Amino acid sequence: MMEDFSIEALRCIVGERGVITDEADLAPFCTDWRGMFKGRARCAVLPRCTAEVAAVVRLCAAARVPIVPHGGNTGLSGGATPDASGEQVILSLSRMSAIRSLDVIGETMEVEAGCILQVAQEAAADAGLLLPITLAAEGSARIGGILSTNAGGTNVLRYGMARGRVLGLEVVTADGSIVSGLRQLRKDNAGYDWKQLFIGTEGTLGIITAAVLQLAPKSRQRVTALLAVPSADEALAVLRLARQAIGETLNAFELMSGPALELVARHVGLTTPLAPAPWYVLLEASSSLPSLRDAVEEMLADVLERGAASDGVIAESEKQERELWHLRESITEAEAREGRSIKHDVSVPIALIPAFLRVADEAVMNAFPLARINAFGHAGDGNIHYNVIIPPDADSQALNRLVHDLVVDHGGSISAEHGIGQYRVDELHRCRSAPELELARRIKLALDPAGLMNPGKVLPQTIVTG
Ligand code: FAD
Ligand code: MLT
Ligand code: ZN
C-alpha cells in the first residue's frame, strides 16, 4: 500500500536543517556542473549517518517517491540532476564526510560517501600513504560520487579505475536495508562480490554510504615532463619507449592537442613552456628508488634523438610540476568557457588512437564544417576526450551518433569514465548489444523493482514501467 509522503516526516529523520525546500537553496542541486541539465525536485535531504539514509529511503519507498543521490555534483553526464517532474527527492551525502579510520599497516582507509576526494587524499598523505585517484574535480567530487561513477582520471595507467581501490562497501538498498561489507581484505572470494553492482552504476541500484579503500605506498621521488610531439602516432611511440624504459613507474601519460592548450591560454591565461606543436604529452613517473630522475632523463634523450618528440622539459621543482599539471587540468574549465561543447568520453584500444583521431576528425569536419575539435585525454589507458565545440544550432545528436559509430567501429566504448547519466542513455542503447542490455534490465529489476533509484539514468525508465 502506498503511504503518504511529507517533508515533516523527512525532518523527523534528519533534523530541521537536513531538509532543503527553499527554491533558491535548492537550485544548485537541480542543475549540473556545466549547466547542461536542469530539473526540479521536491526537496534535498541531507542525512547525517547511514541509519538516517536507510530511514529516508524507506520513507520514500513506502510513498513511491523517487530518489536522486547527490555527491559533489561534478559529474559530466547529468546523473545527479533530477528530472523535470518536481516529484523526486535529492539525497545529498554531503553531511556524511567522516574518515572513519586509517590503517597504516594494511594501507587502507574507511571513509564515508560524502568525504571530498581531496580531503581523503590529504588524510592518506598525512599518514605517509597515497590514495591514487586523481582528477581535476578532486576538490569537490565526493567518494560516493567517485565510486558510483567508477571514476578514472590521470592515474589509471598505474593504479586502475576507482573500482580497483575498493576493498569493502556499505550500501543502502532500494528497500531501505543497510548492507555492510566494510571488510579490509585484499582477498575475499566468499560468495558473490556484490559491491561491484553498486560501483559504476550511478546510484541506480542503491546508495553508497561508506567504503574501505586500498591505499598505496607514497613514492619518495616524482618526475613530471612535458613533451611536444608532431603527431598522435609519435605520441604512441613515446608511450612505447617510456613503457620500456620506466614502465612500472609511469603514473600518467596524458595527451593534449595544440588547440586544447590554445583554449587554456585564452581562457585561463596559462601557456606551455615549449614551442607551439600539434600535440603534447604530459607524463608523470614516481618511485622510491633514487635513480628515477636519471632514468627519465635518459628516456627523454632517447625520445628526442629518435624524433618522436621535438622538444621536452622536465619539471625542476614542485612549483614547475604544478604548473605543468595545471595546463592539463584547466582544459575542461577552458572548454566550458569557450561555448557549447559536446563531450565524447570515449576509449579505443590504445594502438588505434591515431587511426580513430584521423577518421573522426575527417568525418566531423565534413559533416560540421564550423566545428572545432578539442581532443585530449588519458592516452596511456586509451581514453580520449573527443570534445567538439559547435555552434548553438548544430545537431548535437547527429554529431554524437557520428562519433560513437566510429568509436564502435574501432572496438571502443562510448563512455570510458564519465558514465551514462541522462546524457548517454539513448546512445548506450544504440551501441550495446541486446543481450547485454537485457542482463542490465534484469539486474535493475532484481535490485530496484519499483524503479525509484535515480530513475531514467543509465537505463530508460521504461524498462521498469514497461
Ligand atoms: P555527482 O556528480 O554528485 O554524482 C555522480 C553520479 O553518482 C550521479 O549519478 C549520482 O546520482 C551518483 N551518486 C553520487 N553519490 C552517490 C552515492 N553516495 N551513492 C550512489 N550514487 C551516488 N571524471 C573522471 O572519471 N575522470 C576525470 O578525469 C574527470 N575530470 C573532471 C574534471 C572536471 C573539471 C570536472 C568538473 C569533472 C571531471 N570528471 C572526471 C567527472 C566527475 O568529477 C566524476 O564523475 C566524479 O566521480 C563525480 O563525483 P561527484 O561526487 O561530483 O558525483
Ligand atoms: C578530464 O580528464 O579532464 C575530464 O574527464 C575531461 C572532460 O572534461 O571532458
Ligand atoms: Zn578524463
Side-chain angles (χ1 to χ4, degrees):
M1 200 185 68
M2 192 139 81
E3 289 176 22
D4 284 346
F5 175 87
S6 77
I7 298 289
E8 246 349 278
L10 276 183
R11 287 209 167 101
C12 285
I13 298 169
V14 298
E16 195 64 30
R17 294 197 306 136
V19 184
I20 297 172
T21 52
D22 177 79
E23 211 170 307
D25 295 339
L26 204 48
F29 292 92
C30 294
T31 187
D32 68 314
W33 184 82
R34 291 208 293 156
M36 249 188 96
F37 303 98
K38 290 192 188 347
R40 290 170 54 240
R42 288 174 191 256
C43 64
V45 56
L46 289 70
R48 293 162 291 197
C49 61
T50 304
E52 287 187 3
V53 174
V56 168
V57 173
R58 280 197 297 274
L59 183 84
C60 291
R64 296 277 193 276
V65 170
I67 291 177
V68 181
H70 203 84
N73 202 25
T74 67
L76 295 171
S77 310
T81 309
D83 68 15
S85 68
E87 294 294 314
Q88 302 184 327
V89 164
I90 292 167
L91 195 156
S92 164
L93 280 297
S94 58
R95 290 208 293 178
M96 289 178 59
S97 58
I99 293 172
R100 291 181 180 166
S101 62
L102 195 151
D103 172 358
V104 287
I105 301 290
E107 299 177 346
T108 64
M109 161 190 272
E110 185 177 317
V111 61
E112 290 184 345
C115 183
I116 289 182
L117 173 58
Q118 194 175 335
V119 173
Q121 288 169 345
E122 285 167 2
D126 288 347
L129 293 165
L130 176 75
L131 172 56
I133 306 173
T134 307
L135 38 97
E138 63 202 18
S140 306
R142 296 178 189 270
I143 294 298
I146 291 286
L147 300 185
S148 304
T149 57
N150 185 27
T154 52
N155 277 343
V156 171
L157 177 61
R158 181 161 181 183
Y159 295 104
M161 303 282 282
R163 182 189 301 283
R165 309 317 303 170
V166 184
L167 298 180
L169 207 65
E170 177 188 85
V171 300
V172 170
T173 55
D175 62 356
S177 307
I178 298 172
V179 183
S180 180
L182 288 172
R183 288 177 282 270
Q184 302 185 9
L185 307 174
R186 294 282 289 264
K187 301 181 84 169
D188 180 7
N189 273 351
Y192 290 173
D193 188 5
W194 58 261
K195 64 180 179 294
Q196 305 301 345
L197 289 168
F198 298 88
I199 303 170
T201 45
E202 303 176 54
T204 59
L205 299 179
I207 293 164
I208 294 175
T209 49
V212 176
L213 302 177
Q214 176 72 66
L215 307 174
K218 196 162 98 185
S219 304
R220 295 209 178 119
Q221 326 284 331
R222 193 174 55 218
V223 183
T224 303
L226 181 70
L227 283 72
V229 292
S231 66
D233 294 278
E234 294 301 347
L236 288 198
V238 175
L239 176 63
R240 183 79 196 114
L241 291 168
R243 293 293 283 176
Q244 283 166 338
I246 53 162
E248 69 280 12
T249 70
L250 207 53
N251 299 333
F253 189 94
E254 299 285 308
L255 184 65
M256 302 176 282
S257 66
L261 290 192
E262 279 165 26
L263 288 180
V264 171
R266 183 150 63 247
H267 294 290
V268 190
L270 300 173
T271 49
T272 101
L274 305 179
W279 293 94
Y280 299 86
V281 165
L282 180 65
L283 64 82
E284 182 193 90
S286 70
S287 165
S288 287
L289 301 179
S291 54
L292 178 70
R293 193 178 172 96
D294 291 347
V296 175
E297 281 174 0
E298 217 172 283
M299 183 272 292
L300 208 64
D302 187 25
V303 161
L304 289 167
E305 198 182 305
R306 289 169 188 250
S310 54
D311 198 2
V313 60
I314 296 182
E316 295 292 339
S317 62
E318 266 191 39
K319 182 171 169 281
Q320 276 183 11
E321 202 172 72
R322 284 312 315 150
E323 284 167 1
L324 294 184
W325 270 107
H326 208 177
L327 285 168
R328 165 65 185 88
E329 287 168 351
S330 300
I331 300 176
T332 298
E333 189 187 330
E335 180 192 287
R337 291 192 195 168
E338 177 71 8
R340 182 184 183 216
S341 74
I342 305 301
K343 287 193 183 288
H344 302 103
D345 163 40
V346 309
S347 56
V348 293
I350 298 170
L352 297 186
I353 290 175
F356 166 75
L357 289 171
R358 266 192 297 276
V359 178
D361 284 0
E362 196 185 334
V364 168
M365 293 316 296
N366 274 340
F368 298 87
L370 297 178
R372 282 171 301 138
I373 292 158
N374 180 30
F376 62 100
H378 319 287
D381 62 38
N383 180 186
I384 296 295
H385 297 301
Y386 193 79
N387 300 343
V388 185
I389 298 160
I390 50 169
D393 59 348
D395 181 350
S396 61
Q397 278 184 354
L399 175 61
N400 279 337
R401 285 195 293 268
L402 188 148
V403 173
H404 290 157
D405 284 349
L406 293 172
V407 167
V408 173
D409 286 351
H410 285 78
S413 167
I414 66 156
S415 178
E417 58 173 12
H418 295 167
I420 299 301
Q422 54 182 292
Y423 185 38
R424 302 189 174 91
V425 175
D426 294 344
E427 283 297 272
L428 181 73
H429 287 75
R430 216 173 54 78
C431 297
R432 279 280 146 107
S433 69
E436 282 179 291
L437 294 172
E438 173 55 17
L439 194 53
R441 191 184 74 87
R442 279 153 57 186
I443 293 170
K444 172 75 175 172
L445 289 178
L447 291 186
D448 179 24
L452 297 175
M453 289 286 127
N454 216 359
K457 313 292 169 48
V458 186
L459 305 168
Q461 181 62 357
T462 46
I463 72 157
V464 179
T465 53

PDB file of all heavy atoms in Angstrom, residues 76 136 254 328-329 332 335 343 376-378 385 387 417-418, ligand 2:
ATOM      1  N   LEU A  76      29.758  14.705 -15.210  1.00  0.00           N
ATOM      2  CA  LEU A  76      29.660  15.339 -16.526  1.00  0.00           C
ATOM      3  C   LEU A  76      28.590  14.684 -17.397  1.00  0.00           C
ATOM      4  O   LEU A  76      28.539  14.919 -18.593  1.00  0.00           O
ATOM      5  CB  LEU A  76      31.031  15.302 -17.220  1.00  0.00           C
ATOM      6  CG  LEU A  76      32.128  16.131 -16.509  1.00  0.00           C
ATOM      7  CD1 LEU A  76      33.499  15.877 -17.134  1.00  0.00           C
ATOM      8  CD2 LEU A  76      31.803  17.613 -16.516  1.00  0.00           C
ATOM      9  N   ALA A 136      40.781  16.362 -12.022  1.00  0.00           N
ATOM     10  CA  ALA A 136      40.772  17.815 -11.848  1.00  0.00           C
ATOM     11  C   ALA A 136      39.657  18.278 -10.917  1.00  0.00           C
ATOM     12  O   ALA A 136      39.743  19.357 -10.334  1.00  0.00           O
ATOM     13  CB  ALA A 136      40.645  18.499 -13.208  1.00  0.00           C
ATOM     14  N   GLU A 254      49.414  11.603 -20.446  1.00  0.00           N
ATOM     15  CA  GLU A 254      48.278  12.403 -20.914  1.00  0.00           C
ATOM     16  C   GLU A 254      48.597  13.048 -22.257  1.00  0.00           C
ATOM     17  O   GLU A 254      49.705  13.564 -22.466  1.00  0.00           O
ATOM     18  CB  GLU A 254      47.961  13.488 -19.888  1.00  0.00           C
ATOM     19  CG  GLU A 254      47.577  12.946 -18.522  1.00  0.00           C
ATOM     20  CD  GLU A 254      46.173  12.359 -18.470  1.00  0.00           C
ATOM     21  OE1 GLU A 254      45.223  13.060 -18.897  1.00  0.00           O
ATOM     22  OE2 GLU A 254      46.028  11.209 -18.029  1.00  0.00           O
ATOM     23  N   ARG A 328      47.157  20.902 -17.987  1.00  0.00           N
ATOM     24  CA  ARG A 328      46.283  19.760 -18.307  1.00  0.00           C
ATOM     25  C   ARG A 328      44.937  19.860 -17.594  1.00  0.00           C
ATOM     26  O   ARG A 328      43.885  19.617 -18.188  1.00  0.00           O
ATOM     27  CB  ARG A 328      47.019  18.459 -17.937  1.00  0.00           C
ATOM     28  CG  ARG A 328      46.159  17.216 -17.865  1.00  0.00           C
ATOM     29  CD  ARG A 328      45.573  16.847 -19.206  1.00  0.00           C
ATOM     30  NE  ARG A 328      44.658  15.721 -19.114  1.00  0.00           N
ATOM     31  CZ  ARG A 328      43.362  15.823 -18.855  1.00  0.00           C
ATOM     32  NH1 ARG A 328      42.796  16.994 -18.676  1.00  0.00           N
ATOM     33  NH2 ARG A 328      42.615  14.729 -18.807  1.00  0.00           N
ATOM     34  N   GLU A 329      45.006  20.231 -16.317  1.00  0.00           N
ATOM     35  CA  GLU A 329      43.774  20.207 -15.521  1.00  0.00           C
ATOM     36  C   GLU A 329      42.845  21.377 -15.833  1.00  0.00           C
ATOM     37  O   GLU A 329      41.702  21.393 -15.385  1.00  0.00           O
ATOM     38  CB  GLU A 329      44.133  20.177 -14.029  1.00  0.00           C
ATOM     39  CG  GLU A 329      44.671  18.803 -13.627  1.00  0.00           C
ATOM     40  CD  GLU A 329      45.298  18.777 -12.254  1.00  0.00           C
ATOM     41  OE1 GLU A 329      45.483  19.847 -11.653  1.00  0.00           O
ATOM     42  OE2 GLU A 329      45.623  17.663 -11.802  1.00  0.00           O
ATOM     43  N   THR A 332      39.241  21.344 -19.162  1.00  0.00           N
ATOM     44  CA  THR A 332      37.778  21.239 -19.029  1.00  0.00           C
ATOM     45  C   THR A 332      37.151  22.605 -18.755  1.00  0.00           C
ATOM     46  O   THR A 332      36.130  22.979 -19.343  1.00  0.00           O
ATOM     47  CB  THR A 332      37.417  20.255 -17.896  1.00  0.00           C
ATOM     48  OG1 THR A 332      37.926  18.986 -18.264  1.00  0.00           O
ATOM     49  CG2 THR A 332      35.917  20.137 -17.689  1.00  0.00           C
ATOM     50  N   GLU A 335      37.384  24.798 -21.840  1.00  0.00           N
ATOM     51  CA  GLU A 335      36.391  24.365 -22.834  1.00  0.00           C
ATOM     52  C   GLU A 335      34.999  24.867 -22.451  1.00  0.00           C
ATOM     53  O   GLU A 335      34.244  25.354 -23.305  1.00  0.00           O
ATOM     54  CB  GLU A 335      36.408  22.837 -22.906  1.00  0.00           C
ATOM     55  CG  GLU A 335      35.435  22.253 -23.897  1.00  0.00           C
ATOM     56  CD  GLU A 335      35.307  20.753 -23.704  1.00  0.00           C
ATOM     57  OE1 GLU A 335      36.243  20.025 -24.056  1.00  0.00           O
ATOM     58  OE2 GLU A 335      34.259  20.318 -23.191  1.00  0.00           O
ATOM     59  N   LYS A 343      30.531  16.642 -25.434  1.00  0.00           N
ATOM     60  CA  LYS A 343      31.584  15.763 -24.924  1.00  0.00           C
ATOM     61  C   LYS A 343      31.428  14.338 -25.451  1.00  0.00           C
ATOM     62  O   LYS A 343      30.318  13.804 -25.476  1.00  0.00           O
ATOM     63  CB  LYS A 343      31.547  15.741 -23.394  1.00  0.00           C
ATOM     64  CG  LYS A 343      32.077  17.037 -22.772  1.00  0.00           C
ATOM     65  CD  LYS A 343      32.328  16.880 -21.296  1.00  0.00           C
ATOM     66  CE  LYS A 343      32.778  18.183 -20.655  1.00  0.00           C
ATOM     67  NZ  LYS A 343      34.142  18.585 -20.999  1.00  0.00           N
ATOM     68  N   PHE A 376      41.793  15.554 -26.188  1.00  0.00           N
ATOM     69  CA  PHE A 376      42.832  15.410 -25.163  1.00  0.00           C
ATOM     70  C   PHE A 376      42.436  14.189 -24.340  1.00  0.00           C
ATOM     71  O   PHE A 376      41.377  13.615 -24.571  1.00  0.00           O
ATOM     72  CB  PHE A 376      42.901  16.668 -24.272  1.00  0.00           C
ATOM     73  CG  PHE A 376      41.647  16.956 -23.497  1.00  0.00           C
ATOM     74  CD1 PHE A 376      41.548  16.605 -22.149  1.00  0.00           C
ATOM     75  CD2 PHE A 376      40.547  17.545 -24.105  1.00  0.00           C
ATOM     76  CE1 PHE A 376      40.386  16.869 -21.418  1.00  0.00           C
ATOM     77  CE2 PHE A 376      39.376  17.798 -23.386  1.00  0.00           C
ATOM     78  CZ  PHE A 376      39.296  17.463 -22.055  1.00  0.00           C
ATOM     79  N   GLY A 377      43.269  13.813 -23.403  1.00  0.00           N
ATOM     80  CA  GLY A 377      42.818  12.729 -22.530  1.00  0.00           C
ATOM     81  C   GLY A 377      43.927  11.842 -22.037  1.00  0.00           C
ATOM     82  O   GLY A 377      45.112  12.169 -22.118  1.00  0.00           O
ATOM     83  N   HIS A 378      43.464  10.709 -21.523  1.00  0.00           N
ATOM     84  CA  HIS A 378      44.345   9.804 -20.798  1.00  0.00           C
ATOM     85  C   HIS A 378      44.842   8.738 -21.797  1.00  0.00           C
ATOM     86  O   HIS A 378      44.440   7.567 -21.717  1.00  0.00           O
ATOM     87  CB  HIS A 378      43.572   9.183 -19.639  1.00  0.00           C
ATOM     88  CG  HIS A 378      42.675  10.175 -18.931  1.00  0.00           C
ATOM     89  ND1 HIS A 378      43.173  11.163 -18.113  1.00  0.00           N
ATOM     90  CD2 HIS A 378      41.321  10.358 -18.935  1.00  0.00           C
ATOM     91  CE1 HIS A 378      42.160  11.893 -17.632  1.00  0.00           C
ATOM     92  NE2 HIS A 378      41.038  11.426 -18.125  1.00  0.00           N
ATOM     93  N   HIS A 385      39.191  12.256 -24.654  1.00  0.00           N
ATOM     94  CA  HIS A 385      38.042  13.159 -24.569  1.00  0.00           C
ATOM     95  C   HIS A 385      37.954  13.866 -25.920  1.00  0.00           C
ATOM     96  O   HIS A 385      38.695  14.816 -26.179  1.00  0.00           O
ATOM     97  CB  HIS A 385      38.206  14.135 -23.409  1.00  0.00           C
ATOM     98  CG  HIS A 385      38.245  13.429 -22.093  1.00  0.00           C
ATOM     99  ND1 HIS A 385      37.207  12.639 -21.651  1.00  0.00           N
ATOM    100  CD2 HIS A 385      39.203  13.327 -21.144  1.00  0.00           C
ATOM    101  CE1 HIS A 385      37.513  12.116 -20.492  1.00  0.00           C
ATOM    102  NE2 HIS A 385      38.725  12.509 -20.155  1.00  0.00           N
ATOM    103  N   ASN A 387      36.091  16.000 -27.530  1.00  0.00           N
ATOM    104  CA  ASN A 387      35.039  17.004 -27.338  1.00  0.00           C
ATOM    105  C   ASN A 387      34.997  17.933 -28.550  1.00  0.00           C
ATOM    106  O   ASN A 387      36.035  18.276 -29.119  1.00  0.00           O
ATOM    107  CB  ASN A 387      35.296  17.789 -26.058  1.00  0.00           C
ATOM    108  CG  ASN A 387      35.303  16.868 -24.838  1.00  0.00           C
ATOM    109  OD1 ASN A 387      34.819  15.739 -24.920  1.00  0.00           O
ATOM    110  ND2 ASN A 387      35.847  17.323 -23.733  1.00  0.00           N
ATOM    111  N   GLU A 417      34.883   6.865 -18.785  1.00  0.00           N
ATOM    112  CA  GLU A 417      34.992   7.125 -17.345  1.00  0.00           C
ATOM    113  C   GLU A 417      33.887   8.017 -16.794  1.00  0.00           C
ATOM    114  O   GLU A 417      33.663   8.031 -15.592  1.00  0.00           O
ATOM    115  CB  GLU A 417      36.366   7.745 -17.014  1.00  0.00           C
ATOM    116  CG  GLU A 417      36.634   9.054 -17.767  1.00  0.00           C
ATOM    117  CD  GLU A 417      37.908   9.773 -17.342  1.00  0.00           C
ATOM    118  OE1 GLU A 417      38.723   9.179 -16.620  1.00  0.00           O
ATOM    119  OE2 GLU A 417      38.084  10.937 -17.744  1.00  0.00           O
ATOM    120  N   HIS A 418      33.172   8.771 -17.609  1.00  0.00           N
ATOM    121  CA  HIS A 418      32.178   9.721 -17.067  1.00  0.00           C
ATOM    122  C   HIS A 418      30.830   9.078 -16.803  1.00  0.00           C
ATOM    123  O   HIS A 418      29.980   9.676 -16.161  1.00  0.00           O
ATOM    124  CB  HIS A 418      31.984  10.909 -18.019  1.00  0.00           C
ATOM    125  CG  HIS A 418      33.205  11.762 -18.167  1.00  0.00           C
ATOM    126  ND1 HIS A 418      33.334  12.708 -19.142  1.00  0.00           N
ATOM    127  CD2 HIS A 418      34.358  11.812 -17.452  1.00  0.00           C
ATOM    128  CE1 HIS A 418      34.519  13.298 -19.031  1.00  0.00           C
ATOM    129  NE2 HIS A 418      35.156  12.765 -18.016  1.00  0.00           N
TER     130      HIS A 418
HETATM  131  C1  MLT B   2      39.399  15.365 -17.859  1.00  0.00           C
HETATM  132  O1  MLT B   2      40.064  14.343 -17.994  1.00  0.00           O
HETATM  133  O2  MLT B   2      39.927  16.474 -17.659  1.00  0.00           O
HETATM  134  C2  MLT B   2      37.885  15.284 -17.956  1.00  0.00           C
HETATM  135  O3  MLT B   2      37.499  13.971 -17.647  1.00  0.00           O
HETATM  136  C3  MLT B   2      37.528  15.558 -19.399  1.00  0.00           C
HETATM  137  C4  MLT B   2      36.374  16.382 -19.806  1.00  0.00           C
HETATM  138  O4  MLT B   2      36.059  17.389 -19.190  1.00  0.00           O
HETATM  139  O5  MLT B   2      35.773  16.075 -20.869  1.00  0.00           O
END
